Amino acid sequence: FFRDMKNITLLVVVLVVLGVGALLLLGYRLAGPGPTSLSPEQEETVFEPPPPQVPDSLYNLIGTVKIVNPGSAVIDAQIPHLGEQGNVLFHTEERTILFLDETKITKLSLLTTGQNAGQAEEQNATISDIPVGGMVEVIADEDIKKLKEFDVIRVRILPK
């Protein structure tokens, strides 16, 4: 009887070992290969973002309004340039903007109540709504990077 019991025990042990091995092999194949090793050059490579750039041309500027006239306004525009360390800086230049008959003027405001609180709302405005000392974004249909005076097709009065 013991002789048959040893055979049965041996058979059960072999089946268990084979079952565990099959499960491990199946799990490995489902998971796919493990992480690959990197070469020393790849391990030392660190992602560096590209250096900042200043555009070659500008079609819009932001500035503080100095003077408003019926057909024009003068702003202290923020002009981007690269600093000594390659970072983008801004310097101020006086620019005269000329209003056309088709210039669209809007006022941007932030909603403070309701479910849309914090969202921007844009409403039509007129030249007389442009505040001296306020900030505006001006948009032209030509490169205005070096122009001291230019026509604008859009003026957006920015919130304080």
Side-chain angles (χ1 to χ4, degrees), residues 9-63:
T9 305
L10 182 61
L11 181 63
V12 169
V13 169
V14 167
L15 289 175
V16 168
V17 169
L18 286 175
V20 169
L23 288 174
L24 288 175
L25 183 61
L26 180 64
Y28 174 77
R29 287 190 181 198
L30 289 177
T36 59
S37 61
L38 299 174
S39 69
E41 297 85 25
Q42 291 172 321
E43 287 180 4
E44 293 177 17
T45 303
V46 176
F47 172 76
E48 291 187 32
Q53 296 180 0
V54 174
D56 293 330
S57 57
L58 290 175
Y59 288 82
N60 68 318
L61 292 172
I62 292 179

Side-chain angles (χ1 to χ4, degrees), residues 109-121:
S109 58
L110 296 177
L111 299 174
T112 56
T113 60
Q115 72 183 64
N116 294 330
Q119 291 184 356
E121 178 180 60

Side-chain angles (χ1 to χ4, degrees), residues 33 44 46 54 69 71 85 126 141 152 160:
E44 293 177 17
V46 176
V54 174
N69 295 312
Q85 282 114 16
T126 64
D141 60 1
V152 292
K160 294 179 184 181

Side-chain angles (χ1 to χ4, degrees), residues 57-104:
S57 57
L58 290 175
Y59 288 82
N60 68 318
L61 292 172
I62 292 179
T64 304
V65 179
K66 291 176 67 174
I67 301 167
V68 179
N69 295 312
S72 65
V74 177
I75 64 170
D76 281 334
Q78 298 174 10
I79 310 298
H81 67 277
L82 286 179
E84 289 180 14
Q85 282 114 16
N87 52 331
V88 177
L89 301 174
F90 292 88
H91 67 276
T92 303
E93 289 182 11
E94 187 175 281
R95 302 290 177 99
T96 300
I97 60 172
L98 305 173
F99 302 113
L100 305 169
D101 289 339
E102 60 270 9
T103 299
K104 182 173 182 172

